Amino acid sequence: MRGIGKSFPGVRALDGVSLTLSAGEVLALVGENGAGKSTLMKILAGATPADSGTILVDGVLVRIDGPRAAEALGIGMIYQEFNLVPELGVVENIVLGNEPTRSGLLDAAAATDRARRVLEELGIDLALHTPVGRLAIAGQQMVEIAKAFTRKARIIVMDEPSAALSEREIERLFALIERLRAGGVGIIYISHRMEEIARIADRVTVLRDGRVIETRAVTAFPQDEIVQAMVGRRLDAHFPELPPVAADAPTVLEVRGLRRQPVVGPLSFQVRAGEILGLAGLIGAGRTEILRAIAGADRAQSGEVEIDGAAVRIRRPSDAIEHGVAFITEDRKAQGLVLGMSVRENVTLAHLAHFVNRWQLVDRAAEAHATAGMIDELHIRTPGTEQLVRNLSGGNQQKVVLAKWLLGKARILLFDEPTRGIDVAAKAEIYQLMVNLVRNGAAIVMVSSELPEVLGMAHRILAIRAGRIAAEFSHNDATPAAVMAAATGAAA
Amino acid sequence: MGTLSSTRTYWLRISLAVVVFIAFVVVVNVAAHGAFLEPSNLIMVLRQITYNCILGVGQTFVIITAGIDLSVGSLASMTGVIMALFANAVHLHGIALVLATLAVGVAVGALAGYVNALPVVRLNLPPFITTIAMLQMALGLSYIFSHGQPIALRSSAFTNLGIGTLFGSVLGPLHLPSLPVPVIWMIAVLVIASVLLTKTRFGRYVFAIGGNEEAARLAGVNVIRVKTLVYVISGVCAAIVGFLYMALFSSGSPQTGTGDELLESIAAVVVGGTSLMGGRGSIIGTFFGALLIGSLYNAMNLLNIDSYLQKVVLGAVILLAVVLDELRKRYLARSA
């Protein structure tokens, strides 16, 4: 791949990325969340077109304008979400879309034969006719790999293949990769786990902010240097100054022994009035699940939550709201907003009980008045309270979500990716708002995949790995490299 | 609000059924040489749409939450049979008998609605299939309870509710026909339902759940309770229709309510601009939807159109209405 570029509205996802892969080689592709790995791989797989750049396979310029074109070129993708039909058996999945036929009818014997040969060649031991939905994740992954292999894939991309596997399963995966490599297949291995990269990869390419930072042989690339390359030295966004937490500030939220299978805990932490606690970590580390359990969006298996020193039971979102907990979700369109409703209806949704008259009828004038107040306070750019939220920009939609929670005078705010997908100006406004909130005594827990955001906006930072606290940092001694090392488990 | 563009699209924003209906009325009235707009004819149309309209009102709540209730027709039949059996069995008279009977029917309808909702809210099963199950069960039960025969009411206390009229002394001197009692029931149901849907927290939550159930849940809305209630409301509306049918025929029959009622009431809701995807709809729209369908039948009768052909035309109109509604939405989305 040479000089690949790709832009989305407002974001330059890839900027002149080039990489090479030889037959029989394992190339590790690493980078932070949002560094551009997925976009790059989607371009290779034909799932999305590149804006610029060229792709050569065996030295020949090719055009990949769809998944079929990629497949024809021998490019196979193993996504984290498998593309298998769970109800069909192992054989049917392996030959899917490519079924052997005899005089127009499916030839089951030939299909079984073909599948068996492939599985044998790869050293995979699976019952041929089990519905793949009943296989463990590792088994399904083997089926995916076998499927790619039957299609004569010579380039196989694996996106965090070990993320959901146990130690033993990882060993089997590595054995399989060795066989593929011996058969001349080139593998692009996307992973965050440094120890795996050291074991399996020949070379490492580090992506950051849509650019290739460095490519080196793995033997000449120590783990701490890989991490350093991943986080880099970046231009700091303009974060407002954090007001110091008063020495005698009381603990507002305390979480003890929180556990939610299979991803969280047990873990414990506390947040004081006027404090912003940042949760850093990789996607899948369980950060969102921690917030969801506290907010009552999911039920925790065990653990205690204390608010203002008193134990509370939060079993559903309304319990959390009652205790002054607001959960600003990561995906505002799927979880935060009713897009087909007006700004007014969204802003008052969580506190509609405050807007009824003595007949229990909703008082629209009072709603509109309160909403207009929030529009002024948060500088929401909308033609009025009756505008459908669907028609607002991402930043203004996010402010509507915030308005919904601020209306209720929440004192504990759980922010999940508070500035995802919004422009720089709106980001700055939201940071300022968070500062104002803690200045007035609120406590904030913030999850963010943008490391500078966590470092710039949190008094304390917890690095979360595999649902547990891997390390704790204060605002002053947190460095990108140290936090990332803790989050990835690298030997720093 | 009040900007140029919002006035420009005002007529597009209000229920499409209203617009289509007005155009339709003008055309038909001319074709039928004025017979269509005769007050007595209009009253007859209203009377004919009463039953489908009330079923449609209950259905509107369900459909706005992105659900569906296919059991309403056979629930009307079952509650009618149960009410007739009850009325014949108890020693009550006059208004007490009527009220007690209605209460029994409403309770049965509400219970059936609750049963409809249970697997939907607890197990997330599709209402399409759970309410089909209820459709079958209610139908079977109404045949079992009635032994397959209409159960004639012994009391005449219900007659006025079924075929009586009101306000004749006021409307008569104005050369207007008096209002049939079922129409008054329909108006009452429409008003109550409209207030419930547009003026209460419950109504707001119905829309919120249909628009984005997860966002509603995370905002503290008790999704299980609200979704259960919409099926209960639909069951109650079915019971009211069962009650009115029973009064109309002076009997509770397992065969009433099991014909075109179900599909025509859903058609009324959809033609009235309520989205099957949830999150959007109105009671007034459902009324106009029912009125459009009822007027269409009436007009085709006035114009002596073959009854088989009437079905074809009705189907085509339903299709046209939803296609136009979709085009309208796309137009609005582009101009927004």
Side-chain angles (χ1 to χ4, degrees):
Chain A
M1 303 178 87
R2 280 191 201 151
I4 300 293
K6 173 79 184 174
S7 293
F8 297 110
V11 192
R12 187 137 183 81
L14 292 174
D15 188 4
V17 169
S18 302
L19 61 81
T20 58
L21 178 70
S22 319
E25 180 190 43
V26 177
L27 173 71
L29 186 62
V30 300
E32 280 190 277
N33 304 330
K37 299 173 307 232
S38 303
T39 308
L40 184 63
M41 291 306 111
K42 278 187 189 156
I43 290 169
L44 184 59
T48 184
D51 297 341
S52 56
T54 54
I55 299 174
L56 287 82
V57 174
D58 292 335
V60 179
L61 188 64
V62 294
R63 236 191 74 172
I64 303 180
D65 51 7
R68 281 183 174 277
E71 196 187 307
L73 290 166
I75 298 168
M77 295 289 295
I78 315 296
Y79 292 103
Q80 284 177 275
E81 304 282 326
F82 302 134
N83 290 315
L84 297 171
V85 185
E87 290 80 11
L88 292 182
V90 172
V91 170
E92 286 87 345
N93 269 287
I94 288 176
V95 301
L96 190 65
N98 209 353
E99 291 84 353
T101 55
R102 206 170 50 194
S103 46
L105 299 174
L106 287 176
D107 185 345
T112 306
D113 213 49
R114 189 196 295 173
R116 181 180 293 129
R117 259 184 290 125
V118 170
L119 293 175
E120 264 167 26
E121 192 173 344
L122 295 174
I124 301 172
D125 181 22
L126 287 173
L128 290 176
H129 297 286
T130 319
V132 300
R134 286 210 237 127
L135 297 175
I137 298 291
Q140 298 188 18
Q141 189 175 60
M142 303 272 164
V143 176
E144 276 278 31
I145 294 171
K147 196 169 121 186
F149 192 72
T150 51
R151 290 165 194 209
K152 314 266 181 282
R154 292 178 309 118
I155 300 165
I156 295 183
V157 180
M158 300 185 187
D159 189 4
E160 302 221 30
S162 62
L165 303 187
S166 69
E167 292 290 330
R168 245 187 57 232
E169 290 167 340
I170 291 174
E171 289 306 319
R172 280 168 57 199
L173 173 67
F174 283 1
L176 177 54
I177 290 176
E178 286 302 336
R179 278 177 183 251
L180 290 170
R181 176 172 20 203
V185 177
I187 292 169
I188 298 179
Y189 189 92
I190 301 176
S191 179
H192 291 301
R193 299 191 183 178
M194 294 299 155
E195 67 277 9
E196 287 177 10
I197 291 167
R199 265 195 61 189
I200 196 77
D202 299 307
R203 286 186 304 142
V204 181
T205 291
V206 179
L207 271 187
R208 185 174 80 225
D209 300 333
R211 292 203 183 88
V212 172
I213 300 304
E214 199 155 7
T215 300
R216 268 196 245 169
V218 73
T219 46
F221 211 162
Q223 288 183 19
D224 56 335
E225 286 183 33
I226 296 178
V227 170
Q228 189 60 47
M230 280 164 69
V231 295
R233 217 181 328 134
R234 59 186 88 223
L235 296 171
D236 267 10
H238 293 287
F239 296 108
E241 194 164 327
L242 289 179
V245 183
D248 59 347
T251 296
V252 178
L253 172 72
E254 173 152 14
V255 175
R256 270 200 306 267
L258 183 75
R259 209 165 57 80
R260 196 194 139 238
Q261 292 299 344
V263 278
V264 173
L267 94 177
S268 306
F269 61 86
Q270 38 183 272
V271 196
R272 297 195 292 160
E275 185 180 38
I276 300 178
L277 177 70
L279 303 186
L282 300 165
I283 287 167
R287 298 163 306 163
T288 295
E289 288 77 4
I290 294 169
L291 297 190
R292 287 181 66 88
I294 298 172
D298 299 325
R299 220 173 279 186
Q301 265 98 17
S302 62
E304 285 144 48
V305 174
E306 279 186 13
I307 290 174
D308 294 331
V312 294
R313 293 203 70 177
I314 294 178
R315 300 201 293 181
R316 53 182 71 87
S318 53
D319 296 338
I321 293 167
E322 212 165 286
H323 287 107
V325 177
F327 177 32
I328 295 101
T329 48
E330 114 190 77
D331 185 342
R332 57 185 164 266
K333 287 187 179 165
Q335 300 161 341
L337 295 168
V338 185
L339 292 174
M341 281 184 144
S342 66
V343 173
R344 168 177 57 81
E345 289 167 317
N346 272 284
V347 167
T348 59
L349 187 61
H351 301 96
L352 204 52
H354 301 177
F355 296 98
V356 291
N357 62 20
R358 68 192 136 124
W359 309 107
Q360 290 299 306
L361 299 182
V362 174
D363 183 346
R364 286 195 187 179
E367 279 187 281
H369 183 73
T371 305
M374 293 313 287
I375 290 173
D376 280 349
E377 193 180 326
L378 301 184
H379 310 292
I380 302 174
R381 272 167 288 278
T382 168
T385 59
E386 301 312 306
Q387 176 73 357
L388 294 188
V389 167
R390 188 192 306 283
N391 299 332
L392 300 182
S393 71
N396 285 301
Q397 287 182 346
Q398 185 69 344
K399 288 185 195 169
V400 172
V401 176
L402 288 174
K404 172 168 74 173
W405 294 109
L406 298 183
L407 198 61
K409 316 275 179 248
R411 289 177 321 111
I412 299 170
L413 295 104
L414 313 174
F415 281 89
D416 197 359
E417 307 286 359
T419 63
R420 172 175 290 174
I422 65 180
D423 62 63
V424 179
K427 271 186 190 182
E429 285 182 277
I430 284 171
Y431 295 145
Q432 189 55 50
L433 183 80
M434 291 168 76
V435 165
N436 295 345
L437 283 167
V438 291
R439 194 169 275 143
N440 292 327
I444 292 178
V445 181
M446 174 182 66
V447 163
S448 174
S449 295
E450 288 185 41
L451 207 42
E453 186 168 281
V454 185
L455 296 178
M457 284 301 297
H459 294 96
R460 259 189 317 135
I461 295 141
L462 303 179
I464 306 292
R465 188 173 77 236
R468 297 181 185 228
I469 298 169
E472 178 171 340
F473 304 89
S474 72
H475 181 71
N476 291 327
D477 60 33
T479 63
V483 174
M484 183 51 69
T488 54
Chain B
M1 293 303 279
T3 62
L4 255 178
S5 78
S6 73
T7 44
R8 181 170 58 83
T9 55
Y10 176 77
W11 280 98
L12 277 163
R13 279 188 192 280
I14 64 166
S15 188
L16 189 81
V18 181
V19 182
V20 174
F21 180 71
I22 291 168
F24 162 82
V25 165
V26 173
V27 173
V28 168
N29 197 48
V30 171
H33 306 292
F36 182 75
L37 282 181
E38 281 289 319
S40 61
N41 187 55
L42 293 181
I43 289 292
M44 189 162 84
V45 170
L46 283 180
R47 170 179 201 118
Q48 284 166 345
I49 69 168
T50 294
Y51 313 97
N52 287 348
C53 179
I54 295 176
L55 290 180
V57 165
Q59 191 77 257
T60 304
F61 284 88
V62 179
I63 290 180
I64 292 174
T65 66
I68 191 129
D69 185 354
L70 300 178
S71 68
V72 291
S74 63
L75 282 186
S77 152
M78 183 182 78
T79 52
V81 167
I82 291 174
M83 281 186 280
L85 288 170
F86 174 83
N88 287 349
V90 294
H91 297 285
L92 289 170
H93 302 282
I95 187 76
L97 175 65
V98 171
L99 290 178
T101 305
L102 179 61
V104 166
V106 165
V108 170
L111 180 69
Y114 182 76
V115 173
N116 268 333
L118 262 183
V120 175
V121 298
R122 294 287 172 189
L123 300 175
N124 234 342
L125 289 174
F128 187 87
I129 195 67
T130 63
T131 59
I132 281 186
M134 176 59 77
L135 180 160
Q136 296 296 345
M137 290 189 289
L139 194 61
L141 286 174
S142 58
Y143 274 95
I144 291 170
F145 293 150
S146 65
H147 303 290
Q149 297 299 316
I151 299 181
L153 287 170
R154 278 195 231 124
S155 167
S156 59
F158 298 93
T159 313
N160 247 328
L161 288 165
I163 56 175
T165 59
L166 278 181
F167 308 122
S169 56
V170 183
L171 297 169
L174 300 169
H175 304 287
L176 292 173
S178 46
L179 275 181
V181 176
V183 172
I184 294 173
W185 275 86
M186 173 175 74
I187 292 167
V189 167
L190 286 168
V191 169
I192 292 169
S194 203
V195 169
L196 203 55
L197 191 59
T198 60
K199 305 280 183 201
T200 67
R201 288 161 67 193
F202 166 73
R204 181 72 57 80
Y205 295 158
V206 169
F207 282 106
I209 288 171
N212 187 341
E213 184 165 330
E214 182 65 2
R217 190 176 79 89
L218 292 176
V221 174
N222 189 333
V223 172
I224 289 179
R225 185 163 65 198
V226 173
K227 278 176 81 172
T228 302
L229 263 177
V230 298
Y231 288 92
V232 168
I233 288 173
S234 184
V236 167
C237 285
I240 291 171
V241 170
F243 178 78
L244 293 175
Y245 268 143
M246 178 189 72
L248 177 66
F249 299 122
S250 286
S251 68
S253 163
Q255 271 144 24
T256 55
T258 58
D260 294 334
E261 282 87 351
L262 169 66
L263 293 178
E264 280 179 18
S265 66
I266 293 175
V269 177
V270 175
V271 169
T274 295
S275 164
L276 281 171
M277 309 305 286
R280 200 168 65 91
S282 69
I283 298 295
I284 192 71
T286 296
F287 170 71
F288 276 103
L291 192 59
L292 178 66
I293 292 171
S295 309
L296 199 61
Y297 272 131
N298 176 269
M300 289 191 288
N301 282 332
L302 288 178
L303 301 176
N304 283 322
I305 291 175
D306 170 68
S307 70
Y308 299 142
L309 185 58
Q310 290 189 8
K311 290 260 175 212
V312 178
V313 173
L314 180 75
V317 166
I318 291 170
L319 187 61
L320 184 70
V322 292
V323 167
L324 281 177
D325 192 50
E326 182 59 32
L327 293 178
R328 173 191 74 125
K329 265 187 294 180
R330 290 183 184 198
Y331 172 79
L332 286 175
R334 211 155 5 102
S335 66

